[in-house]
Amino acid sequence: MTSVRIWGTGAGAVVVLVATGVWARGSSAVDAGLWAQVRPAIEARLVTEMTGSGYAETDEPALRARWFCRAEALELEESGGRVRAGIDTLCLEYGADGGTLIECSGAQTPQVVRLVRDPANGGFRVLSAQEPPDGEGYGEWEETHFRPYAAARLDREMPSAGLRAAARAHFGLPAGAPVRDC
């Protein structure tokens, strides 16, 4: 009788662990195909919003600085041709001075972006974007706008290597060109 209770308890624990794993995996899944469709519209909007707001663009025009942005999908929901994308964004402003890449400013910010299918352009169009307030209320905003799994991923630093590579290519610099701050 004791072995039945032990095996029963063990089997029950295994079922709970498997169910928890399936739930956790499901909550972290992002539809890669949908992300590939909405990402260009999101990243283009990021660059457009940042243009004109940087340090080097206004204070150091000789650097020919520009913004490079990327977004990472944390959660995606599509319904009736509309998409809600919970994303983390990284935008960095780069310029060039001789053979050196200059990193001037940047920000990593969570956002909730709403998009709609745009048949005329064969993709998606951004309808709205929300981001947290500066200062007080930042953490609360994240908790109310993202599911727990996605909100937990917002604390990770996004890698900037891809943006640096794109900036080097844009300015005609070699892949190993040094980087320094403004």
Side-chain angles (χ1 to χ4, degrees):
M1 183 71 156
T2 302
S3 67
V4 170
R5 276 190 252 158
I6 291 172
W7 281 102
T9 302
V14 167
V15 167
V16 168
L17 288 172
V18 168
T20 302
V22 168
W23 172 81
R25 176 72 180 134
S27 65
S28 67
V30 170
D31 180 339
L34 179 58
W35 178 238
Q37 292 176 46
V38 299
R39 186 177 186 175
I42 290 171
E43 290 182 345
R45 185 194 62 67
L46 288 171
V47 170
T48 299
E49 284 189 346
M50 297 301 292
T51 300
S53 64
Y55 166 78
E57 288 181 282
T58 56
D59 295 342
E60 297 288 338
L63 293 178
R64 304 177 327 244
R66 72 170 284 235
W67 287 93
F68 296 84
C69 297
R70 69 179 285 260
E72 181 179 296
L74 302 176
E75 50 190 29
L76 285 175
E77 299 170 27
E78 182 177 26
S79 178
R82 292 182 180 261
V83 174
R84 180 195 177 276
I87 61 173
D88 204 0
T89 68
L90 177 62
C91 290
L92 297 171
E93 179 191 29
Y94 289 107
D97 184 20
T100 302
L101 185 66
I102 311 296
E103 184 175 320
C104 296
S105 57
Q108 181 175 340
T109 310
Q111 293 187 9
V112 174
V113 180
R114 298 188 189 281
L115 304 101
V116 64
R117 283 198 184 274
D118 187 5
N121 295 318
F124 281 85
R125 177 173 46 91
V126 174
L127 294 174
S128 67
Q130 296 175 291
E131 59 184 56
D134 290 335
E136 197 172 320
Y138 192 96
E140 183 180 312
W141 185 91
E142 289 178 351
E143 291 174 9
T144 60
H145 287 75
F146 290 89
R147 291 188 194 108
Y149 180 81
R153 293 176 58 203
L154 289 170
D155 294 332
R156 299 180 317 173
E157 187 173 326
M158 290 178 68
S160 61
L163 296 179
R164 282 186 176 176
R168 284 182 176 117
H170 173 78
F171 292 112
L173 300 173
V179 180
R180 72 172 171 83
D181 291 334
C182 255

